[in-house]
Amino acid sequence: MESFIQFYQYAIFFYATILVVISLFLAFFGYLNTFKNKLKYTKVEENILLAHPEIAPPISIVAGAYNEEVVVVDATRAFLDLEYPNFEVVIVNDGSKDDTLKLLIEAFDLIEVPHYIIEKVISQPIKRIYKSTNSLYRKLTIVDKKNGGTKADAMNAGLNIAKYDYFVNTDVDCILAKDTLSKVVLPVLDSKIPVIAVGGTMRMVNGCEIDRVQITRVRPPRSFFPIFQETEYLRSYLITKMGWAFFNAIPNVSGGFGLFDKKIVIAAGGYDGESHAEDMDMTLRMIAHMKDHNLPYKIVNTPHSCCWTEGPPNLKILYRQRSRWGRGLLQIFFVHHRFLFNKKYGRMGLVTLPYILIFELLAPLIEILGFFLLLYLFFTSQINVKTFWLMFAYVYLIGLCISILTISLDFSVKKQYRTMFEYVQLIISSSLEAFLYHPFIIFFTLAGYIQLLTRKEFKWGQMTRKGFSQTDKSATSDEKANPPLS
């Protein structure tokens, strides 16, 4: 036992050191990439794009809806109000049992229209297609389909209907910034190498002031769990994803918001309806498709806040969310183990997936084992107090510094909050994250691993909504798309 404890202590030291080095590495290149993006894509380029619609690639916005009667009409209006010359909105009613479809029909003067569908990707049958008799809503298409049980199936149905070569994958409980489409399409137009996907920064809508499904005042979340998740999201997007993007090694474009090349998604087989992490699964299969056919590609991330989504308001919803993400992460390695350490798949096989395996998938197991070992050492009076506090301060302070760097990056990209005190709130929550929030994440992620291994069946989660005007009190779906890896 003594030799095992000694080995484990050294292993943890080197594990933590390597993780810190990688985190600082990603932070440095994420910082460079953020400022490069800020200098390269300014309002001037966006205004040129809006002034010359002939150069703006048409985009389909595809969003699935299951029992979303409280928010679906407002969300659809908000999608239609985006500032971009060429786009359509496709809302997929995935067999809702409430009044989701009825409210859409009434609000947008919809009538059923004849349809002929070429099924490019597999989904449950589409029953009806609706278009509006009102010219104000000519960009809107409503798809009514048989329930497929997952967001992935709804997205596949939407792809079979979507007209344009690029599509945005989002949710009806998300609020998109009005200039979102311009921000994510500029990297596509600018690159000589085909850009197959673009991610944008997501953050918490909890606490924000909202009028007609537009954010009029950005505030940090007031409730307990969302304020931790706000910093977590920013750290993941502005540090981790922007860092990976510098090397064209992003492993996951979030299903909450992302722009995709529809041809590549269809060529890769569309979304997997059996996946608990359909966004990461899709990203990996797109990369694999490009590698299998020796095609050049880029996956880009923009540091701009493009999408606001609801954070879990209570422990029950946080458990649903994180256990699902845990199931999805473990499932990825069961399904795509052939990519791991496979040089054929380049950075994905040799860098990003090994990193995710060692520092994402195994991290909760290592931490929980370390916790119980620490208890054992404490009760057997074997703890070297000086070494313990030195190690703890070493890891804790590095993590806090990265969080502070993240907050400063967000401030530099665009000052979303009006007062410095609101930024201080994020710093305070970051300093408490390791004690008050992170332990829940560890246990809930491990619960997700156990759920997958015991082969429990999961479907679209039942969502509780109170409308966008009360987002701080509303619940979030356990089927919310995975966040970026952190």
Side-chain angles (χ1 to χ4, degrees), residues 33 37 41 57 59-60 84 165-170 176 179-191 193-202 237 241-242 245 248 250-262 264-265 271 279 282-283 286-287 297-304 306-307:
N33 204 15
N37 186 286
Y41 307 118
I59 298 172
S60 300
Y84 191 75
D165 290 337
Y166 291 95
F167 73 95
V168 164
N169 176 0
T170 189
L176 304 185
D179 59 353
T180 284
L181 298 183
S182 298
K183 281 185 164 52
V184 295
V185 85
L186 281 173
V188 175
L189 293 173
D190 181 57
S191 178
I193 300 172
V195 174
I196 62 174
V198 182
T201 298
M202 294 179 64
Y237 282 100
K241 278 207 167 186
M242 291 302 292
N248 193 28
I250 293 179
N252 175 32
V253 175
S254 176
F257 175 81
L259 176 78
F260 296 85
D261 185 325
K262 189 176 73 172
I264 304 303
V265 170
Y271 289 87
D279 48 2
M282 187 71 259
T283 307
M286 289 173 73
I287 295 172
Y297 73 93
K298 279 180 69 176
I299 297 179
V300 181
N301 199 72
T302 174
H304 296 282
C306 295
C307 177

Side-chain angles (χ1 to χ4, degrees), residues 83 124 136 138 145 217 284 289 336 355 407 409 461:
E83 296 173 349
Q124 288 295 313
L136 292 175
R138 64 185 181 278
K145 65 179 285 291
R217 170 78 157 89
L284 294 179
H289 170 79
H336 297 304
Y355 168 84
I407 295 166
L409 267 176

